[in-house]
Amino acid sequence: MAKKNVRNTRGKIVNAAWKLFYEQGYEDTTVEEIIELSQTSKGSFYHYFDGKDALLSTLSVLFDDKYEELTNIIEPELPAMEKLLLLNRELFGMIENSISIDLLARLLSTQLVTNGEKHLLDHNRTYYKLLRRIIAQGQEKGEIGTRFSVSEMVKLYALCERSLMYDWCLCGGEYSLRQYSACVLPSFLSGFLPES
């Protein structure tokens, strides 16, 4: 029970912070506003985070929360490729509608220069677990080829998603991330199909 409360408190802080970052911008959001919106205490905030900058690395937590939500609504009989495209469509829709492009760019850049934990590459994240499960099941059903291992395909899929996000940030969001990905990702994923 204590572990769940820890996750809930930390999650409340993360969700409040990203909501405020999106609405007001990162620079104009204060720790006090995050504490107030999350209905937590200053002690709780500083127990989990050294300061506002530490919250930048938590975007992967929001992504994983979205994947947890999607895990419960994905139809089990949906083909593996459709599941992968659905996950991408939903995540990129969330990014476009609730994550500031400046913050996404900041997160991607911090992951490039950090000496510490690279949260986007943490294979214990829900994201990677879900991808492994979908791809492994797809291989078992013959919907996905076996010339690459599950781990290699997960790495390729994640690489493609990161590069799409990076390019979107680089271009200043001049196009719809979700729509562009809907055009590009199916071609990329065709390499996962079984050889005929």
Side-chain angles (χ1 to χ4, degrees):
M1 185 70 165
K3 190 174 186 178
K4 188 174 183 181
N5 286 338
V6 164
R7 202 169 85 213
N8 286 345
T9 301
R10 189 173 190 277
K12 282 182 182 178
I13 294 168
V14 168
N15 285 314
W18 284 97
K19 183 177 189 319
L20 290 168
F21 292 164
Y22 182 71
E23 291 172 356
Q24 316 180 158
Y26 177 78
E27 299 301 333
D28 293 330
T29 298
T30 65
V31 168
E32 289 72 27
E33 290 171 320
I34 296 168
I35 291 167
E36 184 180 330
L37 184 61
S38 66
Q39 299 178 337
T40 56
S41 67
K42 197 173 215 173
S44 292
F45 180 90
Y46 285 105
H47 174 75
Y48 296 109
F49 305 102
D50 294 333
K52 189 169 73 167
D53 287 348
L55 284 157
L56 287 175
S57 65
T58 63
L59 187 55
S60 59
V61 173
L62 281 187
F63 291 173
D64 279 351
D65 286 349
K66 183 67 176 176
Y67 284 117
E68 291 279 349
E69 178 188 312
L70 291 170
T71 300
N72 298 323
I73 62 168
I74 292 176
E75 298 293 330
E77 65 279 350
L78 201 63
M81 288 301 198
E82 292 301 316
K83 288 178 184 175
L84 293 174
L85 291 170
L86 172 71
L87 291 177
N88 175 261
R89 188 170 53 249
E90 292 296 320
L91 178 70
F92 282 8
M94 182 194 91
I95 289 171
E96 279 189 314
N97 295 319
S98 58
I99 307 294
S100 145
I101 193 167
D102 295 334
L103 283 173
L104 182 59
R106 195 180 289 223
L107 167 74
L108 293 171
S109 66
T110 61
Q111 293 290 281
L112 291 172
V113 297
T114 187
N115 290 328
E117 187 179 353
K118 294 190 187 292
H119 301 279
L120 292 179
L121 299 179
D122 179 0
H123 285 265
N124 290 316
R125 288 180 49 213
T126 300
Y127 173 70
Y128 287 104
K129 291 176 184 174
L130 184 55
L131 290 178
R132 281 193 297 269
R133 186 168 64 241
I134 290 170
I135 291 170
Q137 288 171 349
Q139 282 185 334
E140 288 169 15
K141 293 179 180 177
E143 299 169 350
I144 292 180
T146 56
R147 68 180 173 277
F148 298 113
S149 70
V150 170
S151 295
E152 288 170 318
M153 286 192 216
V154 167
K155 184 175 182 175
L156 288 168
Y157 179 90
L159 172 77
C160 185
E161 280 201 328
R162 282 194 310 273
S163 33
L164 287 165
M165 286 189 284
Y166 177 82
D167 186 69
W168 185 64
C169 291
L170 195 61
C171 294
E174 66 185 27
Y175 56 84
S176 166
L177 175 63
R178 187 176 179 177
Q179 288 176 1
Y180 187 69
S181 181
C183 295
V184 173
L185 197 58
S187 296
F188 180 83
L189 291 179
S190 67
F192 286 15
L193 293 171
E195 294 175 327
S196 42

